[in-house]
Amino acid sequence: MTKQPLTIREATQDDDDEIAQHLYHLMVELGASAQAMAPDWLYKTHIFIEKVRQDLHYQGFIAEMNDQVVGSVSCQILELYPILNLEYQKGYIWGLYVAPSHRRQGIATQLMQAAQHYLQSIGCTRAVLHASETGRGVYERLDYLDSNEMTLNLT
């Protein structure tokens, strides 16, 4: 069986719908019900991406196989307190998604590596993400460490 060629490329504004769709599917896979999704989720996602594109060096990456989009990931600068030294800049990686039929082929790893290289190229010294249980293995293989982040539900 011949392995299909995989291309990882920088996303453009024309890819924002695809990235938004992937984010929607990711939320559903993580347990969000269709009723929990805002009726105007696509519009809100476009507004969000445009804002972080302008303000926080947002960049998305697309995985394509045979001219079909099979995955994506997004990343940006993570805003920190303005008093911190600029030599310490975190980047945030979010929305890693690979279509179920294309998982376990190394696509998520390649998308993550593209995001990491981009963050490094814009001066980030650390990458931060929030892992789902299903994604944890990918991140551990890429040497991500568990952090001490703690959360409190305020609702």
Side-chain angles (χ1 to χ4, degrees), residues 22-93:
H22 287 177
L23 190 57
Y24 182 94
H25 292 304
L26 181 61
M27 293 296 110
V28 170
E29 285 184 18
L30 292 174
S33 67
Q35 295 79 19
M37 304 303 255
D40 58 347
W41 64 268
L42 183 59
Y43 171 76
K44 286 182 174 181
T45 305
H46 275 273
I47 296 299
F48 173 77
I49 289 173
E50 190 55 37
K51 179 179 176 11
V52 294
R53 183 178 280 127
Q54 290 175 12
D55 299 342
L56 298 174
H57 295 275
Y58 166 85
Q59 182 60 61
F61 292 89
I62 297 289
E64 290 180 322
M65 208 175 259
N66 294 332
D67 296 323
Q68 176 187 2
V69 175
V70 298
S72 63
V73 69
S74 294
C75 59
Q76 66 189 60
I77 287 177
L78 180 62
E79 287 186 301
L80 292 176
Y81 311 114
I83 61 172
L84 293 177
N85 185 344
L86 291 177
E87 292 176 11
Y88 178 77
Q89 177 64 63
K90 287 184 180 180
Y92 188 65
I93 299 175

Side-chain angles (χ1 to χ4, degrees), residues 77-151:
I77 287 177
L78 180 62
E79 287 186 301
L80 292 176
Y81 311 114
I83 61 172
L84 293 177
N85 185 344
L86 291 177
E87 292 176 11
Y88 178 77
Q89 177 64 63
K90 287 184 180 180
Y92 188 65
I93 299 175
W94 55 274
L96 175 63
Y97 180 81
V98 176
S101 62
H102 289 83
R103 293 181 182 164
R104 300 205 175 280
Q105 298 178 35
I107 297 170
T109 298
Q110 290 184 55
L111 283 165
M112 286 296 297
Q113 290 169 335
Q116 291 166 183
H117 289 302
Y118 172 75
L119 290 174
Q120 191 173 33
S121 77
I122 62 170
C124 293
T125 57
R126 289 194 183 185
V128 178
L129 56 81
H130 289 90
S132 67
E133 284 305 312
T134 56
R136 190 169 295 282
V138 172
Y139 309 130
E140 288 172 348
R141 283 190 295 280
L142 289 168
D143 295 328
Y144 280 76
L145 304 174
D146 280 331
S147 73
N148 63 349
E149 181 172 288
M150 301 173 74
T151 64

